Each structure stands twice: as structure tokens, then as C-alpha cells.
Amino acid sequence: MHVRLSTAWTDPDGTVWAPGDTVDVDAVTLAKLEEQGMVEEPEGQATGSQPATTSSTTSTPKPTDPQKIGPGPGAPPADDSTK
């Protein structure tokens, strides 16, 4: 599985990897790296599905304006059979 490192890591073979490097690891090594907080994971994706491309830092989402909630411009017209 390919993962992007959030911190420097030395693999079992002695190779030193820098933060941001993408490495191919097995499931056991991935679990160890995740446990130590060394792997970046994009929001909404399972670890290992694709190489991570964003940092693991999250921010608080902005509240949604209630007037902007509803169907998008491509939505079908409302059923107007009550008239």
C-alpha cells in the first residue's frame, strides 16, 4: 500500500524517508506507522486506497447558510400537483 509520510521515518532496511515521501508498505508496517501518527490521510478516504495528497490537519467546517440549502440548479422542477 502506498502512503505519504507526515514525519521522517527509517524503514527496516535502514532507508531514511523524509516527511511527504510516498512509500510502499505492507499492512503490518502501515498499522505501526498509523499508530505512531506518521501517515498522512486525506479526509473521506480509507488509508491505503490512494497515496495521500493532503496533510492530516483538519479544520472546523464553516456553518452552512440555511438559505443556501436545497436542490442544485440541475434538479428537476418541484411537483406542483397541489394547484
Side-chain angles (χ1 to χ4, degrees), residues 1 3 9 12 16 20 26-29 47-48 50-52 54-56 58-59 62-63 66 68 70 77-78:
M1 295 176 214
V3 295
W9 174 63
V16 178
D26 60 31
V28 173
T29 303
T47 301
Q50 292 181 348
T54 61
S55 72
S56 60
T58 58
S59 61
K62 295 180 185 178
K68 294 184 178 180

Side-chain angles (χ1 to χ4, degrees), residues 3-4 10 12 20 24 33 38-39 45 47 50 52 54 56 58 60 62-63 66 69-72 75-77 80-81:
V3 295
R4 186 175 306 272
T10 303
D24 187 21
L33 291 173
M38 299 177 75
V39 177
Q45 284 189 352
T47 301
Q50 292 181 348
T54 61
S56 60
T58 58
T60 306
K62 295 180 185 178
I69 297 174
D80 203 13
S81 63

Side-chain angles (χ1 to χ4, degrees), residues 1 6 9 11 17 19 27 34-35 44 50 55 64 67 73 76 80:
M1 295 176 214
S6 60
W9 174 63
D11 68 19
W17 300 91
E34 286 178 331
E35 184 178 288
Q50 292 181 348
S55 72
T64 302
Q67 295 180 346
D80 203 13

